[in-house]
């Protein structure tokens, strides 16, 4: 693909555009990112994004899917590195919280109901949602809590802490301390699975 900037050719336009979009979302909300801006950041012609995205909403869906992939990878990585189920329960939640605070625009893109319509996600997003919910259900069951009610309660609490902290209502260390305290209190009355 030739750009308007001196004939630069792209071997992998899709990857270049998505990478440029992810760099932009690190600095600003997804709703403020345009296809033209992504083209400029990827150093391609302003029409090049239309070869990969049908429209701006297609771009926003790609940003949400890439962001969700990163979030799920962070949570799964934290869970897999934990020495036991209770530590996995704590660390998975802490990874979710950190992502929400450290990458607030990416986090917001994931949960934007105009992009990822509740009950009607893209196939790629549906698979990612299933993976995240599966990990959450697995670690909830592994620590002896009943699912799915406990899984939804815990996810809601951690998500809320992330949103509030990302919005500046309290710093990340306070959110992490609140999450750890809530998890410890929740698990205090639950016998460890044998």
């Amino acid at each position: 693909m030739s750009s308007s900037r001196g004939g630069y050719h792209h071997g992998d336009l899709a990857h270049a555009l998505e990478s440029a979009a992810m760099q932009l979302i690190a600095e600003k909300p997804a709703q403020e990112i345009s296809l033209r801006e992504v083209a400029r950041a990827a150093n391609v012609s302003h029409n090049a994004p239309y070869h990969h995205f049908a429209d701006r909403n297609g771009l926003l869906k790609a940003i949400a899917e890439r962001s969700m992939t990163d979030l799920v990878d962070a949570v799964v990585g934290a869970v897999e590195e934990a020495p036991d189920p209770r530590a996995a329960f704590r660390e998975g939640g802490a990874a979710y919280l950190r992502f929400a605070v450290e990458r607030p625009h990416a986090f917001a893109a994931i949960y934007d109901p105009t992009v990822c319509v509740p009950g009607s996600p893209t196939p790629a997003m549906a698979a990612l949602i299933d993976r995240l919910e599966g990990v959450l259900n697995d670690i909830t069951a592994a620590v002896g809590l009943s699912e799915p009610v406990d899984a939804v309660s815990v996810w809601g609490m951690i998500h809320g802490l992330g949103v509030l902290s990302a919005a500046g209502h309290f710093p990340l260390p306070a959110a992490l301390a609140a999450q750890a305290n809530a998890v410890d209190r929740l698990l205090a009355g639950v016998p460890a699975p044998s």
Side-chain angles (χ1 to χ4, degrees), residues 7 10 17-18 23 33 63 67 78 82 89 193:
H10 244 292
L17 292 169
E18 288 185 14
Q23 289 173 353
I33 298 172
I63 288 171
S67 298
F89 191 72

Side-chain angles (χ1 to χ4, degrees), residues 114-133:
T114 66
V115 175
C116 181
V117 179
S120 187
T122 65
M125 186 62 91
L128 291 163
I129 292 167
D130 287 346
R131 186 171 175 220
L132 181 61
E133 289 178 352

Side-chain angles (χ1 to χ4, degrees), residues 6 12 16 20 29 33 35 38 49 59 73 76 82 87 104 109 126 137 144 146 150-151 157 164 168 173-174 189 192:
D12 188 354
I33 298 172
L35 286 168
V38 169
L59 167 68
D73 288 349
V76 168
N137 287 332
S146 64
D150 289 331
M157 183 264 307
L164 290 168

Side-chain angles (χ1 to χ4, degrees), residues 1 9 23 30 43 51 69 104 108 110 114 138 143 148 185:
M1 179 62 55
H9 294 278
Q23 289 173 353
N43 196 30
H51 295 284
T69 298
I110 293 167
T114 66
D138 289 349
V143 296
R185 286 176 179 262

